[in-house]
Every structure is written in C-alpha cells, then in structure tokens.
C-alpha cells in the first residue's frame, strides 16, 4: 500500500495538525458538541472539534477555555461562514403569521404558544470570528463558504491552522486557491448539514469516495475525507483513495460524551437507523437525519417554509419543550448513512478501535 494506514499514523494531515492519528472528530453544531467529547478525542491523538456556530462571542471564548482546561492537545473550533440564506435575516410580520400557522398545531400539542420573533435569529459570523481569533484555537474549521482573505491571513499570523469543507470539486478548488491549510471532502452520506456554497446542496450530492478521488489529486492542501466512515476499514479506504485523514461524525455523536439526547442516541443504535433522509425541514438548509414524523409531515410544505435561519429558530423554540418531554417525533435526529454499523458507546472505546491494528473479523462485518 503506497500510503500510510491508520495504524501507521503519520500523514501530511497529522503533521500539519499535530496529531498522532489521521482522525478528526467532526464538529457538531446546534448544541451537540461538548468540551468533554473534544478533549476525549484530542487526548487520544485525534483532532476533537467543537461546532460553535450558534454560540455568542462570549460563549466562544468560554468554550475555548473549557476545552483547554481538559486537553493540552490540538483541537478545532468550527463556524458557519454564511450565517443566513437570502431572505433569512429578517422576518416580516406577514411571514411570521404565515409560518406560525404551520407551526401552531405542533406548539399547541406541547402546550405552547408560537413565540414572537426575536431581535436576531442567529449570531453574526463577523462577531463570532473576532472572538475565535482572540481565543486562538490551534485549528479553525469552517463550512458554508470561504472566509475573507483578511480573516485567513489573520489566522496564519496567529498560527491558527484553517480547515474548509467542500461538497464538490469546484468548492475544493476555491478553498485551495484561498490557501486554506486542509480541505474536507464531504460526501452526501454524512450526517448533519450538506454545507454547499457554490451550487444548491441538492445539486452537490457526491459520495465521499468519489469526491475524495476527484479532489485529492487536484488540490495542494491535504484532504480530509468525511461521510460514511465509522471504523478502521473506512479510514484506511479513505487514505488509499488519496485522503490524508478521515473526519468521523455520526459514530462520535452516538458516544455518551456528545450533546445528543439519550433518546437520539438510542435511536442511533436502534433498528430504524437505515432510514435517513436529506431534508430542509428542520433548519431551512439541507441536512441528513433519521426520518421521523416531522420530516414526513413537512414534505408537502417545504415550499412554504422560511429560509435559514428563520426555520431553524422556529424549530428550536419547539425543540426545547419537545426534548423536555422526551419526544423524538418533532425534533431533528441527525444521523449519517453509516449509522446501522455503529458499535461504540464512548469516545475512548471508539478511538481505540479506530487506531488498533485490524483483526479478523473486521469491524462493520457483522
Ligand atoms: C449532528 C451533526 C451536526 C453537525 N454539525 C456540523 C457543523 O456545525 N459544522 C461542520 O463542519 N460539520 C458539521 N457536521 C458534519 C460532521 O462534522 C462530519 O463531517 C460528518 O458527520 C461526517 O459524516 P458521518 O456522519 O457519516 O461520519 C455535523 C454532523 C452531525 C451528525
């Protein structure tokens, strides 16, 4: 085999990121990241990542400190470069009334009234990046766009390694031209959002292994393959195809250190995990999760739903009460297509299996 395997450890990505293993724990937005999970992965020689896109600048500062208190090793803070879609920054009273009508029966079911719109739907990227630069994490990873040359230059000046995500060859080439340090090639198998920024997400549905093979020979930056990888064989396969590391999301989301609810975690290990779907029903942006009542009932209404982040705000207001009631029918249950193969319940056990030598029978072969 021409390239290093996971057990050998060293690749261009591990050297740039300062890791013992070519393994990145994918960041989770939406409150599902925890400092504990990040530290567990970083302490085990991978790169723990914290999805900070819903955090205020003050929360970003506090999160970086909380992670540093748990690990001396490299970690990533992750932001969404584009913080709204067209029409998603404000909400007219007419649109609020129209959308409230769609949500009203669900709020009523939970004994709630549809709340009035907030002053701001989502923290602004410009403010978040100021706090992130100040916190100076070893790695800044991002999705949904390319930060300005000034931000990338400031990262370089402060010694912050940059990692950008691509869902197509065109996006990877743009990130490479911008001199981003590493490029994530993220396939449609992946759990969570499809972070396309050049073409609509629906037109950017390429599988991880195809995307990796298209991108790796055409960019200078080392490539991190993401989507559908949950065991040693998957990492090795990604490396054979030209990646220099693998980013794993769903398998870490299922670990007890993540911010997922017990109900979500149980479903990830349950019998219905093969029925994932790509939907805009939760946030207004296309994302992969388990099919449930919400994804089904919103299907005929997708054209009436507001853009990101307005839809995301409405759903988050419902989610708080739904989670408290341990409901799984009207909340997002993010999951990637590999979910039926999940086996490990702690980050330490998962990291150990991802880095141990292969033995027969191999992981993922029931
Ligand atoms: C619940 C969830 C939230 C995610 N949030 C983010 C995010 O905020 N930023 C990001 O770069 N990637 C995000 N991702 C993508 C993961 O970091 C990772 O690339 C992906 O899960 C890999 O595919 P897999 O789920 O098949 O392992 C998220 C994934 C999940 C499952």
């Amino acid at each position: 085999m021409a390239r290093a395997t996971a057990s050998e450890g060293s690749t261009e990505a591990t050297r740039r990121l300062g890791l013992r293993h070519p393994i990145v724990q994918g960041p989770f937005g939406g409150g599902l990241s925890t400092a504990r999970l990040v530290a567990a992965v970083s302490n085990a020689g991978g790169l723990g990542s914290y999805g900070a896109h819903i955090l205020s600048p003050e929360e970003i500062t506090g999160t970086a400190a909380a992670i540093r208190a748990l690990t001396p090793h490299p970690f990533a803070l992750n932001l969404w470069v584009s913080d709204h879609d067209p029409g998603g920054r404000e909400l007219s009273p007419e649109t609020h009334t129209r959308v409230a009508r769609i949500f009203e029966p669900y709020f009523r079911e939970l004994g709630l009234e549809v709340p009035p719109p907030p002053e701001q739907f989502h923290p602004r990227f410009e403010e978040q990046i100021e706090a992130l630069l100040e916190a100076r994490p070893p790695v800044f990873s991002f999705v949904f766009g390319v930060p300005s040359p000034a931000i990338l230059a400031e990262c370089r000046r402060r010694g912050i390694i940059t990692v950008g995500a691509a869902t197509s060859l065109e996006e990877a080439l743009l990130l490479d031209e911008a001199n981003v340090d590493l490029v994530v090639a993220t396939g449609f198998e992946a759990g969570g959002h499809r972070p396309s920024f050049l073409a609509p997400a629906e037109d950017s549905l390429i599988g991880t292994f195809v995307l990796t093979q298209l991108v790796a020979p055409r960019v200078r930056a080392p490539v991190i393959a993401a989507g559908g990888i949950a065991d040693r064989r998957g990492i090795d396969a990604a490396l054979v195809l030209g990646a220099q590391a693998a980013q794993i999301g769903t398998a870490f989301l299922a670990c007890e250190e993540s911010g997922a609810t017990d109900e979500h975690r149980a479903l990830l290990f349950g019998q219905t995990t093969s029925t994932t779907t790509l939907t805009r029903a939760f946030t207004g942006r296309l994302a992969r999760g388990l099919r449930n009542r919400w994804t089904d009932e919103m299907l005929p209404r997708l054209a009436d739903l507001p853009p990101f982040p307005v839809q995301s705000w409405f759903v988050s207001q419902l989610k708080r009460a739904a989670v408290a009631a341990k409901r799984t029918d009207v909340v997002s249950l993010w999951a990637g297509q590999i979910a039926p193969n999940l086996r490990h319940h702690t980050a330490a056990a998962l990291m150990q299996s991802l880095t141990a030598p292969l033995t027969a029978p191999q992981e993922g072969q029931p």
Side-chain angles (χ1 to χ4, degrees):
M1 207 178 288
R3 291 176 187 277
T5 63
S7 59
E8 289 167 86
S10 181
T11 69
E12 190 50 36
T14 60
R15 285 187 286 279
R16 286 199 187 189
L17 295 166
L19 311 177
R20 275 188 285 130
H21 304 290
I23 297 169
V24 177
Q25 170 249 316
F28 306 130
L32 296 171
S33 282
T34 66
R36 204 173 141 229
L37 176 61
V38 173
V41 176
S42 291
N43 286 336
L47 183 74
S49 314
Y50 195 107
H53 83 97
I54 61 166
L55 299 190
S56 66
E58 297 72 34
E59 288 169 330
I60 288 174
T61 309
T63 296
I67 295 169
R68 283 197 167 100
L70 297 174
T71 181
H73 299 291
F75 66 91
L77 291 185
N78 177 274
L79 292 177
W80 294 15
V81 177
S82 142
D83 53 29
H84 70 283
D85 285 338
R89 197 170 280 176
E90 288 104 25
L91 180 66
S92 67
E94 298 75 39
T95 310
H96 181 265
T97 308
R98 183 178 61 72
V99 178
R101 242 178 262 132
I102 300 174
F103 276 82
E104 207 268 330
Y106 301 98
F107 275 95
R108 197 163 0 102
E109 242 184 74
L110 288 158
L112 301 169
E113 304 252 321
V114 180
E119 280 192 9
Q120 185 177 307
F121 286 101
H122 197 270
R124 302 307 313 274
F125 172 72
E126 294 89 72
E127 292 160 14
Q128 294 174 316
I129 191 68
E130 290 293 318
L132 185 143
L133 288 169
E134 206 51 47
R136 215 186 269 237
V139 180
F140 165 41
S141 68
F142 53 85
V143 280
F144 288 115
V146 188
S148 68
I151 291 173
L152 292 175
E154 194 53 32
C155 287
R156 264 189 298 281
R157 205 178 67 76
R158 291 175 186 237
I160 302 170
I161 303 283
T162 54
V163 180
T167 63
S168 65
L169 176 57
E170 292 72 21
E171 290 175 355
L173 292 173
L174 205 67
L175 289 162
D176 202 42
E177 267 167 39
N179 281 324
V180 166
D181 292 313
L182 295 100
V183 170
V184 178
T186 174
F188 69 73
E189 302 93 328
H193 283 86
R194 189 99 196 104
S196 306
F197 59 92
L198 286 182
E202 285 82 354
D203 297 337
S204 310
L205 301 178
I206 307 176
T208 302
F209 285 170
V210 172
L211 190 58
T212 299
Q213 291 175 85
L214 296 185
V215 171
R218 292 178 175 88
V219 296
R220 285 165 302 172
V223 168
I224 301 170
I229 301 170
D231 61 23
R232 260 295 308 276
R233 293 178 314 156
I235 298 172
D236 283 352
L239 296 188
V240 166
L241 295 178
Q244 301 290 312
Q247 178 159 302
I248 296 176
T250 302
F252 281 112
L253 182 68
C255 291
E256 64 186 34
E257 296 91 340
S258 88
T261 62
D262 290 344
E263 293 75 29
H264 186 173
R265 221 185 300 282
L267 286 169
L268 286 174
F269 285 110
Q271 297 301 309
T272 55
T273 46
S274 58
T275 50
T276 66
T277 184
L278 279 166
T279 179
R280 287 184 180 268
F282 289 107
T283 65
R285 285 182 169 173
L286 197 68
R288 185 177 295 286
L290 299 180
R291 213 180 128 181
N292 65 1
R293 178 181 161 212
W294 188 261
T295 62
D296 286 354
E297 292 187 4
M298 287 300 131
L299 258 186
R301 294 167 159 171
L302 288 176
D304 300 324
L305 300 180
F308 176 85
V310 178
Q311 176 70 3
S312 200
W313 175 79
F314 271 104
V315 170
S316 69
Q317 301 304 298
L318 192 66
K319 182 179 169 185
R320 224 171 294 137
V323 165
K326 300 194 181 301
R327 295 268 296 263
T328 56
D329 58 338
V330 293
V331 298
S332 54
L333 301 165
W334 305 126
Q337 290 181 326
I338 198 70
N341 275 14
L342 302 185
R343 295 166 58 149
H344 299 286
H345 294 261
T346 66
L350 177 55
M351 280 301 289
Q352 194 173 15
S353 83
L354 293 174
T355 55
L358 285 177
T359 50
Q362 295 179 1
E363 291 242 23
Q365 290 180 332

